[in-house]
Amino acid sequence: MSISAAQVKELRDLTGAGMMDCKAALTETNGNMEEAVDWLRKKGISKADKKAGRTAAEGLIGVDNGVREAAVVEVNSETDFVARNAAFQEIVANVAKVALAYGTTDAVAAAKYPGSDKSVADTIKDAVGTIGENMGFRRSAKLTVPHGAVATYVHNAVADGLGKLGVLVAIETTGNEHAANAFGRQVAMHVAATNPMALTAEQIDPAAVEREKAIFSDQARQSGKPEAIIEKMVEGRLRKFYEEVVLLKQAFVLNPDITVEKALKDAEKDIGAPAKITAYLRFALGEGIEKEETDFAAEVAAAVKK
């Protein structure tokens, strides 16, 4: 049967698929719009499955926030080019909105995507067929406080709330929320720059502390000094270690003459009440993902031969 341009346009508007794919779908289904949508969806899933083995280590970090809550997500793509795609950016922003309501990765993946009956996970999988490369929702997390603010910061932002690195900082206080949020944002920028290991010394993995102590002890013994002196040397080096990796003990990036802990104490004057940093989250794009090494010249040569 003859397929009209209007039918092709309608199907394209419904699915976002290419014109030739829409025409093929309508031809295969004898112009039945509903069946054509399913045909394209199946084709999209097939394309997604085919691409699923390819590493998706690019993409975007997205954040969304209310006054006393904020969420951060990571959605990956294969290339930075797709991360600059408006459709991909819209997906990440919407996933961040869902994360603000549901928080954990599994709950967000299973939740309905805004304006759709499909889940977040299925929506991203379907989008592979239209955007054209492997994508994946990797993780999400959320911070809340009963009083105060959860501040956010996005580094290398490509759009509002979207970038390569996202940080949340929870400030608990009964004081001024706007002042707490302003200081929290400064701390979030600090966290982005320094990547602390933990909020407090007590939160550091004991195994990591023991490993550092063993290294410091070996180094100190090489000096040939008595054990009592070596013990004091190790204690001093351990204090230095905490100053480097514990958020509250670090020199504040915006004023290296004081610690973050002291900066918080100073900020209480503007906040108008005692304040406490209760938690922070730092999502850096692609951290922990092993990227595939590719020979770009070989890829171009192979493409030319096709």
Side-chain angles (χ1 to χ4, degrees):
M1 65 175 291
S2 176
I3 303 299
S4 69
Q7 286 175 294
V8 172
K9 183 181 183 304
E10 182 182 353
L11 184 57
R12 188 181 185 191
D13 289 343
L14 282 170
T15 64
M19 290 177 62
M20 296 306 294
D21 283 336
C22 289
K23 185 174 182 180
L26 288 163
T27 301
E28 289 290 328
T29 58
N30 295 317
N32 185 301
M33 194 64 63
E34 188 174 335
E35 289 181 10
V37 170
D38 289 343
W39 189 90
L40 282 170
R41 187 168 183 270
K42 290 175 184 176
K43 184 178 179 182
I45 291 171
S46 174
K47 288 169 71 174
D49 291 341
K50 185 177 179 182
K51 294 173 182 290
R54 289 161 60 174
T55 303
E58 295 293 339
L60 287 171
I61 301 295
V63 302
D64 198 9
N65 65 294
V67 177
R68 290 181 290 277
E69 61 180 1
V72 57
V73 303
E74 178 177 0
V75 182
N76 299 121
S77 61
E78 288 180 52
T79 65
D80 184 59
F81 178 77
V82 164
R84 297 194 297 270
N85 180 297
F88 180 79
Q89 291 179 8
E90 182 181 7
I91 288 172
V92 180
N94 280 329
V95 173
K97 285 185 176 68
V98 176
L100 192 61
Y102 290 89
T104 64
T105 303
D106 289 344
V108 172
K112 284 186 178 180
Y113 184 82
S116 170
D117 288 331
K118 297 178 183 176
S119 69
V120 166
D122 284 344
T123 298
I124 291 174
K125 191 172 184 181
D126 288 348
V128 173
T130 54
I131 291 178
E133 66 177 52
N134 190 29
M135 298 185 300
F137 167 50
R138 186 183 180 204
R139 54 179 173 159
S140 73
K142 177 182 175 181
L143 291 180
T144 62
V145 290
H147 307 284
V150 179
T152 67
Y153 171 69
V154 175
H155 190 62
N156 286 339
V158 297
D160 188 31
L162 302 173
K164 301 295 186 182
L165 191 155
V167 180
L168 311 182
V169 173
I171 306 285
E172 193 169 320
T173 181
T174 56
N176 186 284
E177 292 177 349
H178 295 293
N181 187 72
F183 176 70
R185 179 173 169 79
Q186 292 182 342
V187 177
M189 294 171 70
H190 170 97
V191 170
T194 64
N195 191 17
M197 190 178 289
L199 175 61
T200 66
E202 292 73 25
Q203 291 177 3
I204 295 181
D205 182 356
V209 175
E210 288 303 315
R211 186 164 56 249
E212 293 299 320
K213 285 175 70 173
I215 293 170
F216 296 154
S217 295
D218 287 344
Q219 291 173 342
R221 284 194 176 86
Q222 292 174 19
S223 68
K225 289 182 168 52
E227 281 297 318
I229 301 298
I230 289 172
E231 188 175 332
K232 291 186 181 300
M233 291 173 66
V234 170
E235 287 177 2
R237 292 183 184 182
L238 201 56
R239 280 196 300 272
K240 182 67 174 174
F241 168 70
Y242 288 141
E243 289 170 6
E244 292 173 351
V245 303
V246 173
L247 173 57
L248 291 175
K249 301 297 182 185
Q250 288 178 325
F252 192 34
V253 166
L254 275 67
N255 182 2
D257 293 333
I258 62 174
T259 64
V260 172
E261 194 168 32
K262 177 64 166 62
L264 173 63
K265 200 69 182 171
D266 293 346
E268 289 178 347
K269 298 170 187 174
D270 291 329
I271 295 171
K276 181 181 180 182
I277 300 173
T278 56
Y280 73 90
L281 290 169
R282 183 183 188 273
F283 276 21
L285 181 66
E287 60 188 351
I289 298 176
E290 290 190 15
K291 298 183 181 181
E292 292 177 342
E293 296 297 326
T294 59
D295 186 336
F296 183 69
E299 285 187 3
V300 172
V304 170
K305 292 176 183 177
K306 290 181 180 179

PDB file of all heavy atoms in Angstrom, residues 34-46:
ATOM      1  N   GLU A  34      -0.119   1.855  15.315  1.00  0.00           N
ATOM      2  CA  GLU A  34       0.232   1.216  16.586  1.00  0.00           C
ATOM      3  C   GLU A  34       1.248   0.093  16.376  1.00  0.00           C
ATOM      4  O   GLU A  34       2.228  -0.034  17.128  1.00  0.00           O
ATOM      5  CB  GLU A  34      -1.032   0.680  17.262  1.00  0.00           C
ATOM      6  CG  GLU A  34      -0.786   0.161  18.678  1.00  0.00           C
ATOM      7  CD  GLU A  34      -2.080  -0.236  19.377  1.00  0.00           C
ATOM      8  OE1 GLU A  34      -3.143   0.291  19.004  1.00  0.00           O
ATOM      9  OE2 GLU A  34      -2.010  -1.069  20.296  1.00  0.00           O
ATOM     10  N   GLU A  35       1.007  -0.727  15.340  1.00  0.00           N
ATOM     11  CA  GLU A  35       1.934  -1.819  15.048  1.00  0.00           C
ATOM     12  C   GLU A  35       3.280  -1.277  14.576  1.00  0.00           C
ATOM     13  O   GLU A  35       4.332  -1.861  14.866  1.00  0.00           O
ATOM     14  CB  GLU A  35       1.336  -2.743  13.986  1.00  0.00           C
ATOM     15  CG  GLU A  35       0.160  -3.570  14.494  1.00  0.00           C
ATOM     16  CD  GLU A  35      -0.387  -4.478  13.416  1.00  0.00           C
ATOM     17  OE1 GLU A  35       0.254  -4.598  12.350  1.00  0.00           O
ATOM     18  OE2 GLU A  35      -1.454  -5.083  13.641  1.00  0.00           O
ATOM     19  N   ALA A  36       3.245  -0.140  13.870  1.00  0.00           N
ATOM     20  CA  ALA A  36       4.488   0.471  13.398  1.00  0.00           C
ATOM     21  C   ALA A  36       5.329   0.974  14.574  1.00  0.00           C
ATOM     22  O   ALA A  36       6.563   0.855  14.577  1.00  0.00           O
ATOM     23  CB  ALA A  36       4.176   1.620  12.444  1.00  0.00           C
ATOM     24  N   VAL A  37       4.652   1.525  15.594  1.00  0.00           N
ATOM     25  CA  VAL A  37       5.365   1.960  16.808  1.00  0.00           C
ATOM     26  C   VAL A  37       6.057   0.771  17.460  1.00  0.00           C
ATOM     27  O   VAL A  37       7.233   0.831  17.850  1.00  0.00           O
ATOM     28  CB  VAL A  37       4.391   2.642  17.801  1.00  0.00           C
ATOM     29  CG1 VAL A  37       5.082   2.869  19.150  1.00  0.00           C
ATOM     30  CG2 VAL A  37       3.903   3.972  17.236  1.00  0.00           C
ATOM     31  N   ASP A  38       5.313  -0.347  17.567  1.00  0.00           N
ATOM     32  CA  ASP A  38       5.895  -1.562  18.161  1.00  0.00           C
ATOM     33  C   ASP A  38       7.055  -2.088  17.317  1.00  0.00           C
ATOM     34  O   ASP A  38       8.068  -2.544  17.842  1.00  0.00           O
ATOM     35  CB  ASP A  38       4.823  -2.649  18.290  1.00  0.00           C
ATOM     36  CG  ASP A  38       3.811  -2.327  19.375  1.00  0.00           C
ATOM     37  OD1 ASP A  38       4.115  -1.460  20.214  1.00  0.00           O
ATOM     38  OD2 ASP A  38       2.720  -2.942  19.378  1.00  0.00           O
ATOM     39  N   TRP A  39       6.903  -2.014  15.998  1.00  0.00           N
ATOM     40  CA  TRP A  39       7.954  -2.479  15.093  1.00  0.00           C
ATOM     41  C   TRP A  39       9.234  -1.678  15.306  1.00  0.00           C
ATOM     42  O   TRP A  39      10.327  -2.240  15.402  1.00  0.00           O
ATOM     43  CB  TRP A  39       7.457  -2.335  13.647  1.00  0.00           C
ATOM     44  CG  TRP A  39       8.333  -2.959  12.596  1.00  0.00           C
ATOM     45  CD1 TRP A  39       8.259  -4.232  12.108  1.00  0.00           C
ATOM     46  CD2 TRP A  39       9.406  -2.327  11.887  1.00  0.00           C
ATOM     47  NE1 TRP A  39       9.223  -4.436  11.136  1.00  0.00           N
ATOM     48  CE2 TRP A  39       9.941  -3.282  10.978  1.00  0.00           C
ATOM     49  CE3 TRP A  39       9.975  -1.063  11.923  1.00  0.00           C
ATOM     50  CZ2 TRP A  39      11.000  -3.004  10.129  1.00  0.00           C
ATOM     51  CZ3 TRP A  39      11.034  -0.777  11.075  1.00  0.00           C
ATOM     52  CH2 TRP A  39      11.541  -1.733  10.196  1.00  0.00           C
ATOM     53  N   LEU A  40       9.083  -0.369  15.429  1.00  0.00           N
ATOM     54  CA  LEU A  40      10.249   0.491  15.671  1.00  0.00           C
ATOM     55  C   LEU A  40      10.839   0.248  17.051  1.00  0.00           C
ATOM     56  O   LEU A  40      12.066   0.263  17.235  1.00  0.00           O
ATOM     57  CB  LEU A  40       9.854   1.970  15.535  1.00  0.00           C
ATOM     58  CG  LEU A  40       9.716   2.490  14.107  1.00  0.00           C
ATOM     59  CD1 LEU A  40       9.095   3.876  14.125  1.00  0.00           C
ATOM     60  CD2 LEU A  40      11.056   2.521  13.401  1.00  0.00           C
ATOM     61  N   ARG A  41       9.961   0.020  18.036  1.00  0.00           N
ATOM     62  CA  ARG A  41      10.449  -0.236  19.393  1.00  0.00           C
ATOM     63  C   ARG A  41      11.290  -1.507  19.423  1.00  0.00           C
ATOM     64  O   ARG A  41      12.348  -1.544  20.057  1.00  0.00           O
ATOM     65  CB  ARG A  41       9.269  -0.357  20.354  1.00  0.00           C
ATOM     66  CG  ARG A  41       9.701  -0.463  21.804  1.00  0.00           C
ATOM     67  CD  ARG A  41       8.519  -0.276  22.736  1.00  0.00           C
ATOM     68  NE  ARG A  41       8.970  -0.306  24.120  1.00  0.00           N
ATOM     69  CZ  ARG A  41       9.057  -1.402  24.851  1.00  0.00           C
ATOM     70  NH1 ARG A  41       8.724  -2.575  24.324  1.00  0.00           N
ATOM     71  NH2 ARG A  41       9.475  -1.345  26.094  1.00  0.00           N
ATOM     72  N   LYS A  42      10.792  -2.522  18.736  1.00  0.00           N
ATOM     73  CA  LYS A  42      11.559  -3.766  18.669  1.00  0.00           C
ATOM     74  C   LYS A  42      12.890  -3.539  17.975  1.00  0.00           C
ATOM     75  O   LYS A  42      13.920  -4.065  18.371  1.00  0.00           O
ATOM     76  CB  LYS A  42      10.753  -4.846  17.935  1.00  0.00           C
ATOM     77  CG  LYS A  42       9.559  -5.348  18.735  1.00  0.00           C
ATOM     78  CD  LYS A  42       8.724  -6.315  17.912  1.00  0.00           C
ATOM     79  CE  LYS A  42       7.480  -6.741  18.690  1.00  0.00           C
ATOM     80  NZ  LYS A  42       6.600  -7.611  17.876  1.00  0.00           N
ATOM     81  N   LYS A  43      12.855  -2.744  16.918  1.00  0.00           N
ATOM     82  CA  LYS A  43      14.093  -2.444  16.205  1.00  0.00           C
ATOM     83  C   LYS A  43      15.049  -1.668  17.111  1.00  0.00           C
ATOM     84  O   LYS A  43      16.251  -1.929  17.133  1.00  0.00           O
ATOM     85  CB  LYS A  43      13.788  -1.629  14.947  1.00  0.00           C
ATOM     86  CG  LYS A  43      15.023  -1.345  14.095  1.00  0.00           C
ATOM     87  CD  LYS A  43      14.649  -0.573  12.842  1.00  0.00           C
ATOM     88  CE  LYS A  43      15.888  -0.274  12.015  1.00  0.00           C
ATOM     89  NZ  LYS A  43      15.592   0.520  10.816  1.00  0.00           N
ATOM     90  N   GLY A  44      14.495  -0.738  17.880  1.00  0.00           N
ATOM     91  CA  GLY A  44      15.329   0.035  18.801  1.00  0.00           C
ATOM     92  C   GLY A  44      15.961  -0.842  19.867  1.00  0.00           C
ATOM     93  O   GLY A  44      17.134  -0.699  20.206  1.00  0.00           O
ATOM     94  N   ILE A  45      15.165  -1.774  20.430  1.00  0.00           N
ATOM     95  CA  ILE A  45      15.691  -2.686  21.447  1.00  0.00           C
ATOM     96  C   ILE A  45      16.775  -3.561  20.839  1.00  0.00           C
ATOM     97  O   ILE A  45      17.815  -3.815  21.451  1.00  0.00           O
ATOM     98  CB  ILE A  45      14.550  -3.541  22.037  1.00  0.00           C
ATOM     99  CG1 ILE A  45      13.625  -2.670  22.869  1.00  0.00           C
ATOM    100  CG2 ILE A  45      15.106  -4.690  22.873  1.00  0.00           C
ATOM    101  CD1 ILE A  45      12.357  -3.357  23.323  1.00  0.00           C
ATOM    102  N   SER A  46      16.571  -3.996  19.615  1.00  0.00           N
ATOM    103  CA  SER A  46      17.573  -4.812  18.925  1.00  0.00           C
ATOM    104  C   SER A  46      18.874  -4.037  18.771  1.00  0.00           C
ATOM    105  O   SER A  46      19.958  -4.552  19.016  1.00  0.00           O
ATOM    106  CB  SER A  46      17.042  -5.238  17.549  1.00  0.00           C
ATOM    107  OG  SER A  46      18.047  -5.915  16.826  1.00  0.00           O
TER     108      SER A  46
END
